[in-house]
Amino acid sequence: MQPSLTGAQTIVTPDQHVLSLNVQPHFFTLADNFTHRYSFDGEGRLIGAFREGINYRRGLRGDVLRKQSLAPGQKLRHRLNQDERQTFLHEMVTHMSHLAGQLEAAQQPALKDWLERILAWDVPRLEAERKRFDAVYKPISILPPDHYQAVVVQATEGCSWNRCTFCTLYHDRPFRIKGTDELCQHIHQVQALLGRGMGLRNAIFLGDANALIIPQPRLRELLEVVQREFALGAGNALRGIYAFLDIFGAERKSVADYRELREAQVRRIYLGLETGDPEVFGLLNKPGSPAACVEVVQAIKAAGISVGVILLAGAGGERLAAQHVANSLSIVGAMGLGEGDLVYLSPLMVPDDSPYLAQLRDANSQPLDEQAIEVQLAHLKAGLKTRVDPAAKVVLYHLSEFIY
């Protein structure tokens, strides 16, 4: 591609379509008459679209999330089913084929390489990515929102606790830790799957649920594999390693251990506090305690690593709502969060057969409805503004928006 093409430009085609292009080394975006927009990674795979006021995001596995604003503060989130997804992809491929013809007629030969990459992905090939993905990864159940564009490396599979009453994300697999050779092979498969799409990825996320519970000597070896295979360091666009860690696992590491992780380029650790109230904590069957989480966060920060703390809006239901909010604000306020730290507020979502709901009934409490959860989110957000350094970010974490 000609270097002069890089950047944004507008082209008026012979049939008077106004096409807006943004061409970068690692992605390509094309908008048609400001009503349709498509984005592609370096391999030419669709990663996002905007059509008739509706946003679509396509994950590496091929899942498509539709998100539509209904009113201020109201969004409709829907993961397309197979028929919906294939209809959407067929419409996109047909439209892109037409736009490619318009660009050719407008004499834009410098776009040939990008357009050939994009048009090589018909619907069957796009759908076949699901099998390629599943051959590389166990299901990627959840990530923090700031790492939806990370390179996920599954050093572990599953969750070593896997008994929280509200969570079923890892019930489909046993917990296990990979060896160095297996991890190296896994990384090579990940790199092959991403291909030129690697250029859009901004960090390494070490999976699965609580990968940093790995005993320190073995964790050190696995992190060395990650650093070597991705050439982490100065000049690399990947800005370090990030991971989840459960509170009970965190208690087993010292400040010196965390300093060692910092030297291995671990930049932020995410902890599912969920609630600062001991009674609600017990209903969730979380290991450890809210007080222990404060100690863990302070140890992690003393080592120079940032933290992401997750709170569940709605935990404990109606009867325990006030103490959940008050004690959560108190616990998070005691952590000393600052620049580089995050607090994620996540609406509690549990399946109908969750043991948590039975626990809630036994505690003479009822789940909060959607409106009450929104009110609690607002109370938590407002309370955190007075308890947490303004340099720390407070962000919504909606599980229904996750695809990878």
Side-chain angles (χ1 to χ4, degrees):
M1 185 180 300
Q2 295 176 2
S4 60
L5 183 65
T6 300
Q9 63 172 298
T10 300
I11 297 170
V12 179
T13 68
D15 67 354
Q16 299 306 301
H17 276 248
V18 178
L19 302 184
S20 302
L21 292 78
N22 187 4
V23 185
Q24 299 296 331
H26 304 300
F27 73 90
F28 177 92
T29 299
L30 175 61
D32 176 20
N33 285 344
F34 308 104
T35 60
H36 294 74
R37 183 179 67 248
Y38 303 104
S39 301
F40 304 87
D41 73 2
E43 286 291 311
R45 284 177 292 221
L46 178 72
I47 55 175
F50 178 83
R51 292 165 52 90
E52 299 173 354
I54 301 175
N55 278 297
Y56 298 85
R57 184 160 56 86
R58 181 176 178 275
L60 186 61
R61 186 174 184 265
D63 295 320
V64 177
L65 178 72
R66 182 175 67 204
K67 191 162 68 170
Q68 183 178 6
S69 295
L70 302 177
Q74 283 189 310
K75 290 181 180 178
L76 178 65
R77 304 170 180 91
H78 172 65
R79 185 179 299 210
L80 303 189
N81 62 34
Q82 180 175 326
D83 290 342
E84 293 170 331
R85 186 178 66 244
Q86 292 183 356
T87 297
F88 163 74
L89 292 175
H90 175 74
E91 292 172 352
M92 183 278 299
V93 168
T94 301
H95 194 188
M96 276 302 305
S97 180
H98 171 73
L99 296 181
Q102 292 296 309
L103 286 168
E104 185 177 353
Q107 298 183 348
Q108 291 290 322
L111 289 171
K112 182 179 179 181
D113 179 52
W114 265 112
L115 294 175
E116 285 180 350
R117 285 188 235 173
I118 291 167
L119 296 180
W121 291 90
D122 58 13
V123 175
R125 187 182 176 196
L126 285 165
E127 287 288 85
E129 285 293 272
R130 303 173 75 80
K131 288 185 178 179
R132 287 187 69 205
F133 183 98
D134 291 343
V136 174
Y137 288 112
K138 294 292 184 182
I140 298 175
S141 298
I142 196 64
L143 295 172
D146 56 316
H147 287 292
Y148 289 175
Q149 285 297 319
V151 180
V152 175
V153 174
Q154 290 179 320
T156 65
E157 295 172 359
C159 174
S160 58
W161 175 249
N162 216 10
R163 283 172 278 178
C164 293
T165 56
F166 67 97
C167 177
T168 60
L169 294 176
Y170 302 97
H171 286 184
D172 61 341
R173 77 210 85 155
F175 178 76
R176 75 181 190 92
I177 302 170
K178 288 178 177 163
T180 54
D181 290 345
E182 184 184 7
L183 180 62
C184 187
Q185 181 182 11
H186 170 65
I187 289 172
H188 293 167
Q189 292 172 330
V190 168
Q191 291 169 330
L193 177 66
L194 284 167
R196 287 174 288 189
M198 178 72 75
L200 276 179
R201 305 290 159 167
N202 53 22
I204 301 292
F205 196 89
L206 201 68
D208 255 345
N210 50 345
L212 296 185
I213 196 176
I214 299 170
Q216 194 76 1
R218 191 167 178 184
L219 178 58
R220 187 186 307 120
E221 294 175 351
L222 295 178
L223 289 174
E224 287 174 357
V225 171
V226 173
Q227 289 178 283
R228 181 184 72 241
E229 295 300 326
F230 288 100
L232 295 182
N236 194 313
L238 297 173
R239 50 185 171 80
I241 301 170
Y242 300 74
F244 287 124
L245 181 60
D246 271 327
I247 297 168
F248 74 102
E251 292 170 345
R252 302 177 188 177
K253 293 193 187 293
S254 65
V255 174
D257 289 332
Y258 290 122
R259 287 193 180 117
E260 190 173 37
L261 297 185
R262 170 68 186 177
E263 290 300 313
Q265 300 194 53
V266 174
R267 298 295 179 244
R268 185 181 296 124
I269 297 174
Y270 299 82
L271 299 105
L273 170 62
E274 325 303 4
T275 179
D277 181 72
E279 186 176 0
V280 178
F281 202 86
L283 288 178
L284 300 176
N285 198 33
K286 293 284 296 184
S289 69
C293 192
V294 174
E295 296 176 5
V296 169
V297 167
Q298 291 174 344
I300 293 171
K301 288 181 60 60
I305 299 175
S306 299
V307 296
V309 180
I310 302 162
L311 287 173
L312 292 177
E318 293 178 359
R319 184 177 71 81
L320 303 173
Q323 66 193 63
H324 165 57
V325 171
N327 289 326
S328 294
L329 294 176
S330 178
I331 286 291
V332 174
M335 291 176 174
L337 304 184
E339 187 173 359
D341 298 324
L342 295 167
V343 181
Y344 275 123
L345 302 178
S346 182
L348 177 60
M349 301 173 61
V350 294
D352 292 338
D353 59 350
S354 166
Y356 164 75
L357 297 177
Q359 294 275 82
L360 205 60
R361 287 192 297 270
D362 291 343
N364 296 316
S365 190
Q366 296 294 324
L368 297 183
D369 61 24
E370 187 174 336
Q371 184 177 0
I373 287 179
E374 289 297 322
V375 171
Q376 190 173 104
L377 280 169
H379 287 163
L380 286 167
K381 187 173 183 179
L384 287 167
K385 285 185 178 179
T386 65
R387 303 291 188 100
V388 175
D389 188 311
K393 295 180 180 179
V394 179
V395 186
L396 179 66
Y397 182 3
H398 210 296
L399 298 187
S400 64
E401 292 193 0
F402 171 69
I403 57 172
Y404 183 77

